[in-house]
Amino acid sequence: MTQAGKKKKRAVNRSIMLAKKIIIKDGGTPQGIGSPSVYHAVIVIFLEFFAWGLLTAPTLVVLHETFPKHTFLMNGLIQGVKGLLSFLSAPLIGALSDVWGRKSFLLLTVFFTCAPIPLMKISPWWYFAVISVSGVFAVTFSVVFAYVADITQEHERSMAYGLVSATFAASLVTSPAIGAYLGRAYGDSLVVVLATAIALLDICFILVAVPESLPEKMRPASWGAPISWEQADPFASLKKVGQDSIVLLICITVFLSYLPEAGQYSSFFLYLRQIMGFSSESVAAFIAVLGILSIIAQTIVLSLLMRSIGNKNTILLGLGFQILQLAWYGFGSEPWMMWAAGAVAAMSSITFPAVSALVSRTADADQQGVVQGMITGIRGLCNGLGPALYGFIFFIFHVELNELPVPESSSGGSVVVQYHLQQNSIIPGPPFLFGACSVLLALLVALFIPEHTNLTVRSSNWKKHCGSHGHPHSPQAPGEAKEPLLQDTNV
């Protein structure tokens, strides 16, 4: 009877909240169209990453033309700086959005994330410089997930997050192929103009159509409300890693497995284009196929494995596929090998969802947010360290090209000559082999994780942490802190 009363109270509160948010007034100005919904968040994510996906092929060309001698090193540094800045700024932006509302920070993050797009044809140097600095605001997913948490009940949240993540994947499945086709037929300038127009459309959509999700009663009376350092500290969750041996094992596993994954995302498509001789269309097709297979792996295959072999064994299997995939990338010297390894890579994508599920099942209900926050913090740190590490390893092994591959319409002789110049080395892709060794260590650590246990973090610490980081109006559900497979910083 008590539970039924609580549900009824939640339903009434939600109805009042949604009624208030039909037109939320700020200085007498209507904000948004209709009630806040997950579909508003989905459209924001789709438009932002569709715009960036269009630029996949042009970015690879401009990157090599701008940094012809140290392409991989500079790519790693650019993505590494962006990732580290995102890791450092995400907690602060999240805390500020709790005070000032989600809509303003959706607008801010989308604007600064897409700001570099028109600079690609104006000034490539400024384009890459602004990409690095934009990492401070490249946390759209964090704000979107907070937006979704505001307007959904706990039991709805996992499905809502899955819809947002699937939309993100869908935008990257289609847009690189469209961008490559338009660039080949009409030139890269048209692609940049189209991407800029879609980014502007996203900004206009937020301004005009997206309603504020944070209720007025949850906002402080004044905009000058204090934000504590503990709320803005990006290392707050990481400080609790060593307080439980099982949590420590899980976090070490995540760090060792996601570090090479983050580095791979930042450089692999450039590697395919410049070293393996893939055309723009082939790179776009590779992204599409890998995305589709990853979605299947993370839904159908993951569900079957979790029921048949258990949580821990699913993690070990995913790590095994990741080792095979990275070793194949490292020793592969032919394009068909990259395609075969890509299929294995899709299976390796089950690792992190399985880890998050293990945490959700074994952690106490009141510690879900803290433990998931630790894992999310580890992944955020890897998004900064991984690209820089991969770029440095490419640099020390002298994996570079002196010239761009010749256009696909001309003879392929020059491509073959340049390609075979890189095969004098026994290991064509040294960073990928390093990544395989890192994941092997992760596999050895994961062997010591119990299948069934209770994760505990010292109560005095996690309560303090939850009190400063949690949303008072949106209790954290199991798995709420899960991030999508691909993230802002990997574009």
Side-chain angles (χ1 to χ4, degrees):
M1 184 67 181
T2 305
Q3 189 174 3
K6 287 183 179 179
K7 288 184 178 178
K8 185 176 180 181
K9 185 177 179 181
R10 285 180 186 173
V12 172
N13 290 338
R14 188 180 176 194
S15 299
I16 295 173
M17 183 188 304
L18 294 179
K20 287 177 65 179
K21 285 185 277 188
I22 293 176
I23 297 179
I24 294 178
K25 295 185 178 180
D26 185 7
T29 305
Q31 299 289 316
I33 298 175
S35 303
S37 68
V38 177
Y39 300 107
H40 287 100
V42 162
I43 293 173
V44 170
I45 286 293
F46 182 85
L47 291 176
E48 177 181 336
F49 290 99
F50 190 89
W52 273 109
L54 290 172
L55 297 179
T56 301
T59 297
L60 299 182
V61 175
V62 172
L63 180 65
H64 187 83
E65 290 177 344
T66 309
F67 309 107
K69 292 185 178 180
H70 305 300
T71 309
F72 288 98
L73 177 63
M74 293 307 300
N75 177 66
L77 292 177
I78 291 167
Q79 298 297 332
V81 169
K82 181 179 179 181
L84 285 174
L85 289 177
S86 298
F87 167 71
L88 295 173
S89 66
L92 176 60
I93 291 180
L96 290 175
S97 73
D98 287 340
V99 176
W100 296 345
R102 314 297 184 200
K103 178 171 180 171
S104 57
F105 282 91
L106 274 178
L107 184 63
L108 191 69
T109 55
V110 171
F111 176 81
F112 280 98
T113 302
C114 296
I117 292 177
L119 295 175
M120 176 181 284
K121 287 299 180 181
I122 298 173
S123 173
W125 281 92
W126 276 106
Y127 171 70
F128 291 113
V130 175
I131 283 180
S132 298
V133 178
S134 70
V136 175
F137 298 100
V139 290
T140 307
F141 266 108
S142 299
V143 183
V144 164
F145 280 6
Y147 188 98
V148 171
D150 292 338
I151 59 177
T152 55
Q153 300 295 325
E154 290 184 32
H155 65 279
E156 303 171 331
R157 214 160 285 161
S158 297
M159 183 178 295
Y161 286 167
L163 180 60
V164 172
S165 299
T167 302
F168 168 79
S171 69
L172 293 182
V173 165
T174 56
S175 55
I178 295 173
Y181 170 77
L182 293 176
R184 184 179 179 86
Y186 304 103
D188 289 344
S189 296
L190 176 65
V191 180
V192 174
V193 171
L194 179 60
T196 303
I198 293 175
L200 290 174
L201 176 63
D202 197 12
I203 293 171
C204 293
F205 177 78
I206 297 172
L207 280 171
V208 176
V210 175
E212 177 58 62
S213 66
L214 189 65
E216 289 178 347
K217 63 182 179 181
M218 294 300 176
R219 303 185 214 174
S222 68
W223 278 38
I227 299 294
S228 68
W229 167 246
E230 193 171 9
Q231 287 176 280
D233 182 8
F235 298 97
S237 61
L238 303 184
K239 293 175 182 176
K240 298 174 175 58
V241 167
Q243 294 178 6
D244 183 274
S245 59
I246 308 303
V247 172
L248 181 62
L249 289 174
I250 292 175
C251 288
I252 291 175
T253 301
V254 171
F255 179 81
L256 291 175
S257 62
Y258 193 71
L259 184 68
E261 186 175 342
Q264 172 188 327
Y265 283 144
S266 70
S267 61
F268 186 63
F269 302 133
L270 177 64
Y271 181 79
L272 291 178
R273 183 82 170 90
Q274 305 293 349
I275 304 301
M276 301 306 299
F278 273 46
S279 65
S280 299
E281 290 79 6
S282 297
V283 172
F286 189 94
I287 296 173
V289 171
L290 185 59
I292 293 171
L293 291 178
S294 296
I295 293 173
I296 295 173
Q298 291 183 81
T299 52
I300 301 173
V301 177
L302 178 62
S303 177
L304 293 174
L305 289 175
M306 294 281 280
R307 288 199 299 265
S308 58
I309 65 176
N311 213 150
K312 178 182 174 180
N313 290 331
T314 301
I315 295 173
L316 297 177
L317 182 64
L319 292 173
F321 276 116
Q322 190 177 0
I323 294 171
L324 177 61
Q325 161 225 336
L326 289 168
W328 210 335
Y329 284 156
F331 288 109
S333 58
E334 299 292 338
W336 70 266
M337 296 180 180
M338 300 296 103
W339 283 98
V344 178
M347 281 299 301
S348 71
S349 67
I350 65 176
T351 303
F352 183 70
V355 169
S356 294
L358 176 66
V359 170
S360 293
R361 289 176 53 192
T362 57
D364 293 337
D366 55 4
Q367 298 187 19
Q368 292 283 343
V370 180
V371 183
Q372 293 279 9
M374 293 177 191
I375 297 175
T376 301
I378 293 289
R379 283 169 61 90
L381 189 60
C382 290
N383 281 327
L385 298 178
L389 180 63
Y390 263 51
F392 180 71
I393 296 176
F394 273 123
F395 173 72
I396 62 177
F397 278 87
H398 307 289
V399 180
E400 299 290 348
L401 284 179
N402 294 324
E403 298 178 6
L404 280 169
V406 295
E408 290 81 355
S409 57
S410 60
S411 65
S414 179
V415 177
V416 175
V417 171
Q418 292 182 35
Y419 167 71
H420 283 291
L421 286 175
Q422 299 301 322
Q423 305 310 315
N424 295 330
S425 168
I426 297 176
I427 306 173
F432 303 113
L433 190 60
F434 167 82
C437 295
S438 177
V439 180
L440 178 60
L441 293 176
L443 179 63
L444 296 177
V445 172
L447 289 172
F448 294 94
I449 300 175
E451 176 73 40
H452 301 288
T453 186
N454 287 325
L455 304 182
T456 57
V457 184
R458 294 173 189 172
S459 58
S460 61
N461 288 330
W462 73 257
K463 286 180 181 177
K464 184 178 180 182
H465 176 81
C466 287
S468 62
H469 288 266
H471 301 297
H473 57 287
S474 57
Q476 193 145 7
E480 176 178 335
K482 281 197 288 185
E483 294 180 308
L485 173 65
L486 303 176
Q487 303 173 32
D488 308 57
T489 54
N490 298 326
V491 178

